[in-house]
Amino acid sequence: MNRRYRKTVIAANWKMNKLPGECKPFIQQLKDKAAEAKWCDVVLCVPFTHIASAVKAARGTRIAIGAQNCHYAQNGAFTGEVSCRMLSELGVKYVIIGHSERRQYFGETDTDVNRKLHAALEEGLRPIVCLGEKLEVKETGAALDFIRCQLKAALKDITVQQLRKIVIAYEPVWAIGTGKIATPQQADEAGEAIRDTLRALYGARAARGVSILYGGSLNESTAGGMFSMPDVDGGLIGGASLEAASLISIIDAADQ
Ligand code: PEP
């Protein structure tokens, strides 16, 4: 982390878990820790069906509500989809874009990710853009090149002003939900490659302001080591974010 230049962000990704009625008690448990965490922005990314309850429960707290996906069109004949304008009107502040589960199970391409990124920024949402290599790419030793390519594709035609609103999450696919966490050194190396690419595209000043999160089987016992690395500015947390107590411990680790 480097608090001089950028925010620490702890973003919970509930995926397709919990019920709308569970938002209020969860936020009640989390809100004091979020208020106390001076250095850290706390984001709770919930399923679409939970957004209204979560936004209501988070009113007056330092917890921002995020969505886990969006469509790139403002409206239209896209049955079952949800636009950024709809999310924004509900009070959503962040949106996860290009999560590996979206890429893997729903066929999202780099072009989709780029279109969604433009749409989110246009509606004033803060995108959390996910990048990360699969195991087979890691095994060929091409992980960093792969991430650089994903990043460049995601950022096509994004301006330096828009970059300020974007959070990047490095999430190696082999680490998501598997219990096989990257080492802090591996995460930092990926963070550094991402920042170097941002520097080449947007200049040093813009690059150093971007928060780069790590995601993939992070939990309360591994968070401290991960957050001690210079190019890990927080976490995107799936499984360990389902229990308020473990999310609170992770926020504590990030706020040291
Ligand atoms: C995620 O869903 O983004 C994630 C990192 O999941 P987990 O923490 O469960 O690996």
Side-chain angles (χ1 to χ4, degrees), residues 114-166:
N114 175 254
R115 293 174 85 176
K116 290 179 181 205
L117 186 54
H118 281 278
L121 291 164
E122 221 152 89
E123 292 302 332
L125 298 175
R126 295 203 63 177
I128 302 175
V129 180
C130 299
L131 316 169
E133 79 287 357
K134 290 187 179 165
L135 185 60
E136 55 265 35
V137 175
K138 178 180 182 260
E139 282 170 348
T140 64
L144 297 183
D145 280 342
F146 181 86
I147 299 162
R148 288 187 195 101
C149 282
Q150 268 190 333
L151 179 63
K152 285 184 193 158
L155 294 177
K156 186 168 175 278
D157 298 328
I158 294 293
T159 66
V160 69
Q161 284 79 15
Q162 289 176 312
L163 183 72
R164 293 201 189 105
K165 294 274 177 200
I166 297 174

Side-chain angles (χ1 to χ4, degrees), residues 195 198-200 202-209:
R195 203 173 306 286
L198 294 175
R199 193 175 297 117
Y202 296 98
R205 193 153 170 230
R208 74 182 177 218

Side-chain angles (χ1 to χ4, degrees), residues 181-203:
I181 186 170
T183 64
Q185 291 71 22
Q186 283 171 327
D188 194 54
E189 208 186 341
E192 203 181 320
I194 291 168
R195 203 173 306 286
D196 284 347
T197 307
L198 294 175
R199 193 175 297 117
L201 293 172
Y202 296 98

Side-chain angles (χ1 to χ4, degrees), residues 9-15 171 214-216 218-219 227 234-242 247 250:
V9 179
I10 296 296
N13 176 15
W14 276 4
K15 311 193 190 206
E171 297 211 305
Y214 168 80
L218 196 65
N219 61 30
F227 300 155
L236 179 55
I237 299 122
S241 74
L242 295 172
L247 187 56
I250 294 170

Side-chain angles (χ1 to χ4, degrees), residues 14 20-31 44 50-63 65:
W14 276 4
E22 294 178 78
C23 294
K24 191 174 170 189
F26 191 95
I27 288 170
Q28 289 292 336
Q29 289 181 73
L30 196 63
K31 69 176 200 285
L44 187 58
H50 301 32
I51 287 172
S53 321
V55 167
K56 189 168 172 215
R59 209 162 279 146
T61 74
R62 284 200 59 237
I63 301 165
I65 301 305

Side-chain angles (χ1 to χ4, degrees), residues 10-11 45 85 93 97 101 109 123-124 132 186 196 207 236 243:
I10 296 296
C45 299
R85 178 159 290 187
K93 300 293 180 212
I97 294 179
E101 288 153 14
T109 63
E123 292 302 332
Q186 283 171 327
D196 284 347
L236 179 55
E243 291 295 330

